[in-house]
Amino acid sequence: MHSPGSSTLDGRNPSKRKPAGAGAIGIHSRQHSASQPSEPHHKRPKLTSPFDSSESRMSKVVGKRPEIVDLTKPPTAFQPHKGAKKLVIKNLRTTSRADDLEKYYDTAKKELLDALQAIFEQKQPRQPFERLYRGVEDLCRHGASRELYETLREQCDNYLKGSLYRSMVAEAGSSNVDMLRSTYKHWVIWNTQSTTIRSVFSYLDRSFLLISKDFQQINDMAITLFRRTFFVTSKSGGLNPGAKALAGMCDLVDYDRRANTRFDPALLRDSISMLHVLNIYGKSFEPRFLDASGDYYREFAEVQSSASLKAYISSCEKLLAREDYRCNAYNFDSTTKRQLMNRAHTTLIDNYSEKLLDSGSIGKLLDENATESMKALYDLLRLSNIQKRLREPWEEYIKEAGSVIVNDTSRGDEMVVRLLEFRRSLDLMIRDAFNKDDEFTYSMRQAFGSFINDRKVLSSWKTGTSKVGEMIAKYIDMLLRGGLKTLPKSLLSDIKDRIDAEQSGLASTGDEDAELDRQLDQALELFRFIEGKDVFEAFYKQDLARRLLMGRSASADAERSMLAKLKNECGSNFTHNLEQMFKDQQIARDEMASYKSWCEGNGHAKGGMDLSVNILSAAAWPTYPDTQLTLPDDVATQVERFEAYYVNKHTGRRLTWKHSLAHCVVKARFNKGSKELLVSAYQAVVLTLFNQIEDKPDGFLAYQQIAENTGLSGPDLDRTLQSLACGKIRVLTKHPKGRDVNPTDTFTVNKSFADPKYRVKINQIQLKETKEENQETHERVAQDRQFECQAAIVRIMKSRKKMTHANLVAEVINQTKSRGAIEPSEIKKNIEKLIEKEYLEREEGSYTYLA
């Protein structure tokens, strides 16, 4: 039971919003409002008003309230003396609730249709977006989700096929690019409209469509409708704007390839993005684009193939770079890029591999040292995985160019420098163009070994032995005498070489000693290719002897380093005599120190001459011819004294004086001052003769007088006089003037001689080898080879006892190839000699060793 002053709230759950036109709130003591909603209700809770206690107290004071208070009348002043009154709110509903709801839903549908039409017309809907959103929500809660979706889809489809399609066709021009531009413009319009639609119908999208398997969500629906309308081929054969738009995209790419000003990069990039969103890129655009690109590549290759290889490589490189950039810059798919590049490689490289691998064209590029072009060629071939086929023209070029160098008899002195420059250019090509590919390094070494040991070299130089070995020995002699200053700059290390050396833990080639060591290694690289190492050994020994005896080595450390390299390369047998030469030098120094002590102890005055003698073991040093030389009296006295000392100290030894290797310092006085002349023994003996005619005003010596007083004759005398009177430094004057010395010439002292240096070197003639000496060395090497061949035959037959001719020849070649290649015909001659000496005998096509 309610107390007279209590009140109750008659209504639904406050969380549920009532439609417009629902009943008002009634406050009463026991009875409900006359008209109640048709919907079921929960039991209404009792709510106690905060005014209950005060009203109760007031009733006791003023009496009983009236039963009914009519709130529809104008308000009156509070009348407490009349007592408590009942408050009633009359029902304001004039129609049924069901009719109101249907009317509300119809209104919401109409408002949504009007809003869609406004959006399609690119206008602002009359109703606020919040009201439209609430209308969609109410319709969905009312169970009209499916109907609402179908209506929306139908309206969008009609709009796309109607006004939007007509607008697109009307704005499109005659060209494919114009159609593409119009298509993209209307795609942007539709994309904006669909975004607005999606926001209005968001509740439908997030409720009904989210869990539905039969219907697309609004965004997918919008994309599908646009794709079907504009990009699906028309069955009736009418205009298909999508096909023209795709053709327009291919045209845009073609404009870019041909540098046409009509190219629109933004349109191409946006169009590619549009196709990705529409999900027709891979099915509709990619095949069409790849076919058009293939046609362009074939046309490009046909045009460019008529140009030179260098131009073709450059054109292909630029084309591939542009294609790669375009794919990355304009959002092409990675699979498209891969297929596009594969087609380009097939068309430009595989189909024109004969042109790319033409030996003559590649040879021209290598002659020009076109590193960038060769790198581009290597990279192109590597894209098709056929870079190994480049080895054949590479190796062929090296053989041809190398053969030209080693067979050039007019520039023999430059042979090794040219070979090293050639090798240097190839090394740089491998490093910078071929990405340090080991296969090309191997091919280069094979080619070097082939042309260096070619028999044509022997016939060109007519030496019978390796000319390259001789020239390598002379090149190393030049390095060890003059150091790096004798080299051209092209052979010196560059910055990349220095960086590589430091990264490898080696001494930086910026250091002079390290650079000299690197140059010696480069020379040894050529030495490794030589089969006739005995020629190198013979000439290297001669040059080493001159450097040691005349003190012309630039660096003692470099000499020892080179000896260690040779020992490591060829073994101790190869360097045994060379090591002995260094030991003899040390023994000679000790011997001279002992001799000087003996002279001081025996009271021999030093006088005006200082004698230094090198004692050499004949077995280790090269052989030198014995020459007759009449020494000045004071020199002869010193020589005889030393010989007596040495023979007395070392019983059983005999000294043979090699005056051709001697050198000395002579003091000379000229009108412009005194000089010290560094001369050979021959030159010194000739110069001292002019002291005898110093007092004669017109003193001169004839050719015959010089020959009689020095004991020299023939080429030795001619070379000596020519070096003193016809060279760059002329301390003598020849009459008559000329470059050649004749027996009728006379000579006087050049008193007007002048030179900025106090000590002047004139004995370079001793370091030069004569043609006769060169020929004798080659003949001696060839003769030694015959002896080595016979020794090898005896060793082999002694171990095998019996062998056929072919097997014996093959075994001899194998054992002697490290020293020098021997022709099979020479081996046969040596076998005949051994048969004559009864070392072997011939039995039925084979040889038997005779113990």
Side-chain angles (χ1 to χ4, degrees):
M1 296 294 293
H2 296 287
S3 64
S6 66
S7 66
T8 60
L9 179 64
D10 182 15
R12 293 164 182 80
N13 193 330
S15 64
K16 295 183 179 180
R17 182 174 58 84
K18 289 185 178 181
I25 299 176
I27 302 177
H28 52 85
S29 60
R30 294 184 60 87
Q31 62 184 7
H32 294 284
S33 175
S35 176
Q36 299 293 337
S38 60
E39 299 168 7
H41 292 81
H42 297 290
K43 185 177 181 179
R44 292 186 294 272
K46 294 180 180 180
L47 301 178
T48 303
S49 172
F51 303 102
D52 287 351
S53 58
S54 62
E55 290 178 355
S56 178
R57 287 192 299 271
M58 290 174 62
S59 64
K60 294 179 181 180
V61 178
V62 299
K64 188 176 180 181
R65 290 182 177 181
E67 293 184 356
I68 299 175
V69 178
D70 189 356
L71 296 179
T72 60
K73 293 181 179 181
T76 58
F78 178 63
Q79 300 174 356
H81 60 277
K82 290 185 179 182
K85 295 181 180 180
K86 184 178 291 186
L87 195 68
V88 176
I89 298 176
K90 292 184 178 181
N91 191 356
L92 300 179
R93 181 182 293 117
T94 59
T95 59
S96 67
R97 190 170 187 278
D99 293 340
D100 291 342
L101 287 174
E102 292 300 324
K103 182 178 179 181
Y104 168 74
Y105 292 139
D106 291 341
T107 302
K109 291 178 182 178
K110 186 176 183 308
E111 290 176 348
L112 289 173
L113 289 175
D114 292 341
L116 282 176
Q117 189 61 35
I119 292 172
F120 293 153
E121 294 174 359
Q122 303 183 49
K123 299 178 180 178
Q124 183 72 19
R126 288 181 297 174
Q127 301 296 333
F129 284 111
E130 183 178 2
R131 179 180 178 86
L132 296 174
Y133 176 85
R134 293 297 181 185
V136 172
E137 181 180 356
D138 289 338
L139 288 171
C140 290
R141 289 181 179 275
H142 185 59
S145 299
R146 184 188 186 98
E147 179 186 354
L148 183 62
Y149 175 78
E150 291 176 349
T151 301
L152 173 63
R153 190 178 188 283
E154 181 182 359
Q155 292 295 320
C156 292
D157 192 31
N158 292 337
Y159 165 68
L160 290 172
K161 292 179 179 178
S163 59
L164 190 67
Y165 185 92
R166 289 192 297 273
S167 174
M168 177 188 295
V169 174
E171 293 185 15
S174 59
S175 68
N176 295 332
V177 176
D178 291 337
M179 177 59 77
L180 173 64
R181 187 173 285 107
S182 178
T183 301
Y184 177 72
K185 175 184 176 181
H186 288 80
W187 159 252
V188 173
I189 294 173
W190 171 242
N191 203 26
T192 304
Q193 293 172 339
S194 64
T195 301
T196 305
I197 293 171
R198 193 165 63 250
S199 63
V200 171
F201 289 84
S202 176
Y203 189 85
L204 174 67
D205 210 25
R206 292 184 292 105
S207 59
F208 173 72
L209 297 179
L210 185 64
I211 60 176
S212 176
K213 296 182 179 179
D214 300 328
F215 301 101
Q216 293 177 310
Q217 289 193 277
I218 294 175
N219 184 62
D220 296 338
M221 177 198 72
I223 293 173
T224 301
L225 291 177
F226 191 89
R227 180 174 63 243
R228 290 179 180 176
T229 303
F230 298 102
F231 286 92
V232 175
T233 304
S234 176
K235 295 182 180 179
S236 61
L239 177 66
N240 185 2
K244 291 195 67 177
L246 295 176
M249 295 175 66
C250 295
D251 291 344
L252 279 179
V253 175
D254 191 66
Y255 291 160
D256 185 27
R257 286 169 174 161
R258 302 180 189 276
N260 193 312
T261 55
R262 290 179 289 176
F263 174 61
D264 188 344
L267 179 59
L268 178 60
R269 183 184 300 107
D270 295 338
S271 300
I272 294 294
S273 300
M274 175 183 70
L275 297 189
H276 281 298
V277 174
L278 293 174
N279 199 25
I280 59 174
Y281 176 88
K283 183 177 180 181
S284 301
F285 171 70
E286 187 179 64
R288 183 193 298 262
F289 171 66
L290 293 176
D291 291 341
S293 298
D295 295 339
Y296 173 76
Y297 295 150
R298 284 188 288 272
E299 177 189 349
F300 177 86
E302 289 177 3
V303 173
Q304 296 297 328
S305 61
S306 59
S308 64
L309 177 61
K310 186 175 183 178
Y312 183 78
I313 293 172
S314 178
S315 301
C316 290
E317 184 184 26
K318 292 177 181 178
L319 173 64
L320 294 176
R322 291 198 305 269
E323 296 294 307
D324 183 81
Y325 171 79
R326 186 183 305 110
C327 290
N328 295 330
Y330 301 113
N331 301 323
F332 284 84
D333 197 73
S334 59
T335 57
T336 305
K337 177 182 176 180
R338 183 172 60 253
Q339 295 180 66
L340 185 70
M341 288 304 184
N342 287 340
R343 290 201 181 193
H345 299 161
T346 301
T347 304
L348 302 175
I349 303 172
D350 294 352
N351 295 347
Y352 288 85
S353 59
E354 292 184 2
K355 178 179 181 63
L356 293 172
L357 296 171
D358 180 63
S359 299
S361 300
I362 292 176
K364 291 180 180 178
L365 292 180
L366 293 172
D367 283 334
E368 296 171 3
N369 200 24
T371 304
E372 293 183 0
S373 297
M374 289 302 299
K375 176 176 175 56
L377 174 60
Y378 178 80
D379 291 339
L380 287 177
L381 296 175
R382 188 171 60 175
L383 293 174
S384 295
N385 200 27
I386 58 174
Q387 72 275 16
K388 293 182 180 179
R389 292 173 58 185
L390 185 59
R391 288 178 55 187
E392 183 176 347
W394 162 260
E395 194 169 336
E396 184 177 341
Y397 164 76
I398 296 174
K399 290 179 181 178
E400 291 179 359
S403 297
V404 171
I405 295 174
V406 297
N407 288 305
D408 189 355
T409 56
S410 61
R411 301 174 64 185
D413 293 339
E414 304 173 18
M415 178 193 294
V416 177
V417 173
R418 292 172 65 192
L419 283 175
L420 288 174
E421 288 179 335
F422 181 51
R423 171 68 186 270
R424 173 70 174 164
S425 66
L426 298 177
D427 285 337
L428 293 178
M429 192 67 67
I430 293 173
R431 185 191 72 183
D432 299 334
F434 299 154
N435 199 24
K436 298 181 180 180
D437 194 329
D438 291 337
E439 293 189 0
F440 286 87
T441 303
Y442 177 78
S443 296
M444 179 185 66
R445 290 174 178 169
Q446 291 291 104
F448 263 78
S450 175
F451 74 76
I452 283 179
N453 297 296
D454 192 351
R455 298 294 178 188
K456 295 180 182 178
V457 179
L458 304 181
S459 59
S460 298
W461 291 93
K462 300 178 181 179
T463 57
T465 53
S466 175
K467 186 66 178 180
V468 182
E470 172 196 344
M471 302 314 297
I472 292 175
K474 293 186 180 301
Y475 171 78
I476 294 177
D477 174 62
M478 179 186 70
L479 272 182
L480 294 175
R481 281 192 291 110
L484 296 178
K485 62 184 179 182
T486 59
L487 292 178
K489 292 184 179 180
S490 59
L491 291 179
L492 300 178
S493 302
D494 58 13
I495 296 177
K496 290 185 178 181
D497 291 325
R498 295 172 185 175
I499 294 174
D500 291 342
E502 291 173 359
Q503 290 178 349
S504 302
L506 303 176
S508 173
T509 52
D511 178 21
E512 185 174 347
D513 291 337
E515 178 65 17
L516 179 59
D517 189 69
R518 177 184 173 276
Q519 295 299 330
L520 292 174
D521 286 335
Q522 293 294 325
L524 278 179
E525 282 289 329
L526 295 181
F527 170 72
R528 292 189 182 101
F529 299 129
I530 302 172
E531 292 179 356
K533 291 182 171 56
D534 50 357
V535 179
F536 172 86
E537 180 186 7
F539 283 95
Y540 183 81
K541 182 189 289 187
Q542 286 186 352
D543 296 333
L544 175 61
R546 289 192 179 94
R547 293 196 302 272
L548 293 179
L549 295 176
M550 299 178 188
R552 299 302 298 272
S553 291
S555 170
D557 292 336
E559 291 282 3
R560 287 191 291 268
S561 174
M562 186 63 198
L563 188 63
K565 293 178 188 296
L566 289 173
K567 186 174 183 179
N568 184 59
E569 186 71 27
C570 304
S572 57
N573 290 336
F574 187 87
T575 59
H576 175 72
N577 289 337
L578 304 179
E579 292 173 342
Q580 185 61 44
M581 293 166 69
F582 283 93
K583 292 178 182 179
D584 286 350
Q585 286 282 291
Q586 182 61 44
I587 293 172
R589 285 191 288 269
D590 296 340
E591 194 68 54
M592 286 309 301
S594 176
Y595 171 69
K596 289 179 180 179
S597 299
W598 176 82
C599 288
E600 292 175 0
N602 289 279
H604 295 292
K606 182 176 181 181
M609 186 185 69
D610 184 15
L611 179 67
S612 178
V613 181
N614 284 307
I615 308 299
L616 312 178
S617 56
W621 291 74
T623 57
Y624 300 100
D626 294 330
T627 56
Q628 297 296 325
L629 182 65
T630 304
L631 298 175
D633 294 339
D634 51 352
V635 178
T637 301
Q638 291 279 2
V639 169
E640 291 172 0
R641 182 184 301 161
F642 178 82
E643 186 170 3
Y645 159 79
Y646 187 81
V647 172
N648 183 57
K649 182 179 179 181
H650 302 282
T651 307
R653 294 187 182 180
R654 184 171 61 89
L655 291 178
T656 302
W657 295 91
K658 301 296 182 181
H659 299 299
S660 60
L661 301 175
H663 60 93
C664 58
V665 178
V666 175
K667 291 184 179 180
R669 294 187 303 275
F670 299 97
N671 293 340
K672 295 185 179 182
S674 299
K675 299 291 182 182
E676 287 186 356
L677 305 178
L678 185 58
V679 295
S680 67
Y682 293 171
Q683 291 171 326
V685 170
V686 172
L687 290 175
T688 55
L689 291 179
F690 287 89
N691 290 334
Q692 301 173 9
I693 61 170
E694 183 179 4
D695 298 332
K696 298 179 181 180
D698 297 329
F700 65 88
L701 289 176
Y703 179 90
Q704 292 298 332
Q705 291 177 294
I706 296 174
E708 292 173 1
N709 287 281
T710 59
L712 295 174
S713 62
D716 289 337
L717 180 57
D718 292 345
R719 292 174 62 220
T720 302
L721 291 173
Q722 196 172 24
S723 65
L724 293 172
C726 304
K728 292 182 179 180
I729 301 173
R730 301 181 180 183
V731 294
L732 297 180
T733 302
K734 186 177 79 72
H735 306 281
K737 293 183 178 181
R739 297 192 60 84
D740 296 327
V741 176
N742 299 312
T744 59
D745 293 340
T746 59
F747 299 88
T748 58
V749 177
N750 181 14
K751 294 183 179 181
S752 62
F753 172 78
D755 194 274
K757 297 179 181 178
Y758 177 70
R759 174 171 286 193
V760 184
K761 295 180 181 179
I762 314 178
N763 68 333
Q764 285 88 348
I765 190 173
Q766 285 182 290
L767 299 175
K768 294 182 180 179
E769 184 183 46
T770 63
K771 293 182 179 180
E772 293 77 10
E773 290 176 344
N774 184 283
Q775 187 62 34
E776 288 175 3
T777 304
H778 279 289
E779 291 175 356
R780 187 169 61 252
V781 170
Q783 187 177 9
D784 291 342
R785 283 188 182 178
Q786 302 303 319
F787 295 146
E788 290 176 3
C789 177
Q790 294 179 21
I793 294 172
V794 172
R795 284 196 307 271
I796 294 168
M797 292 304 300
K798 188 174 182 180
S799 62
R800 303 289 184 86
K801 304 301 181 183
K802 189 174 184 177
M803 290 186 72
T804 61
H805 177 78
N807 292 337
L808 179 57
V809 170
E811 190 67 25
V812 171
I813 292 174
N814 185 52
Q815 289 195 12
T816 59
K817 65 181 180 182
S818 61
R819 297 286 297 167
I822 303 177
E823 291 289 341
S825 58
E826 295 294 326
I827 297 176
K828 185 176 181 180
K829 290 179 181 179
N830 285 301
I831 292 175
E832 296 296 335
K833 292 178 181 179
L834 291 175
I835 292 175
E836 292 177 2
K837 295 178 182 179
E838 297 184 351
Y839 281 93
L840 307 175
E841 67 176 0
R842 185 182 289 108
E843 293 182 357
E844 299 178 357
S846 62
Y847 302 107
T848 303
Y849 178 70
L850 300 178

